[in-house]
Amino acid sequence: DIQMTQSPSTLSASVGDRVTIACRASQNVNKWLAWYQQKPGKAPKFLIYQTSSLESGVPSRFSGSGSGTDFTLTISSLQPDDFATYYCQQYNHYPWTFGQGTKVEVK
Amino acid sequence: QVQLVQSGAEVKKPGASVKVSCRVSGYTFTTWDIKWVRQVTGQEPEWVGWMDLKTGDTGFAQKFRGRVTLTRNTSISTAYMELNSLRSEDTAVYYCARGCSGATCYPGYWGQGTLVTVSS
C-alpha cells in the first residue's frame, strides 16, 4: 500500500496567516491527489482534486500543487472557518490511502 | 444534484454483523463505482473496498478480506456493505463515496456517514 505522510501533524496559526501543509507519498501517484477538510462530527469535505483543481464552491484562498510524490495544500489567508483537520488522499493505486491529517488550530 | 444517502446509526454486539446501505441519486447508478471508507474517531479515513456497480466486481483492503461483503440493488440505486464478526475495533463511521467511471476518478461525493458502534 502507498503510505501518505503529512507534515506538520498540528499547525498553530492566526486569522490572516498563510498556511502550508505538506503531503508525501511513498510511491509516485502522478497527479491523482486530493485534499479534504474535516470538522468534528462531519464527513470530510472535498476541496481539491487532481493535485490542483479546486472543487466548485471552494474559496480561491485554497490551492494545491505538486506532482509525483510531493504535494502541498496552501491557504493564502486563513479565515475563521478554516480551523479544521486536513487530509490528503492518493487515488492512483488501490487501496486509496489517506495521510494521517494536519490539524490547523488557533494560535 | 448528486447525492449519496446512507442508512442510520447501528449498535451491535461483538460477533454480530451489520449492513449499511447507500442510496444514490442524481446520476445513473451503474456508471460510477462505489468506494467504502471508514473512520475511527481521531484517526484518518481508511479504505475498506470498492464495487463496480455494473459488473458486480469488488475489491477489498487486505485487512477486511473475508469479513466484508459488498452488494447492490440496481432497481433501487442502492449499494450495501456488510461487515461480519464485529469487534470493538470496528466501531467507526462508515462512508460510501462515488469513485470512478472508467479511467476517470472523482472522489468528490460522499455519503453522510453511518456510525456503527460495537459494544457488549
Side-chain angles (χ1 to χ4, degrees), chain B residues 1-7 21-36 53 72-80 96-99 109-112:
Chain B
Q1 73 278 26
V2 174
Q3 284 193 303
L4 288 77
V5 179
Q6 298 182 223
S7 47
S21 68
C22 173
R23 177 171 52 85
V24 314
S25 60
Y27 67 97
T28 302
F29 181 64
T30 55
T31 57
W32 291 79
D33 65 28
I34 285 287
K35 315 301 192 190
W36 289 90
L53 299 178
R72 86 280 197 211
N73 185 331
T74 56
S75 67
I76 57 172
S77 299
T78 301
Y80 302 91
C96 60
R98 198 180 81 166
Y109 296 107
W110 290 48
Q112 82 278 18

Side-chain angles (χ1 to χ4, degrees), chain B residues 46-101:
Chain B
E46 176 183 33
W47 169 274
V48 175
W50 66 272
M51 185 177 210
D52 183 319
L53 299 178
K54 184 180 297 184
T55 65
D57 289 345
T58 56
F60 304 97
Q62 179 73 34
K63 69 182 290 185
F64 296 104
R65 285 176 196 164
R67 253 195 343 130
V68 171
T69 303
L70 301 181
T71 57
R72 86 280 197 211
N73 185 331
T74 56
S75 67
I76 57 172
S77 299
T78 301
Y80 302 91
M81 182 208 70
E82 184 170 20
L83 182 61
N84 304 313
S85 303
L86 289 168
R87 33 208 190 228
S88 58
E89 310 89 89
D90 294 319
T91 295
V93 178
Y94 290 76
Y95 295 99
C96 60
R98 198 180 81 166
C100 304
S101 177

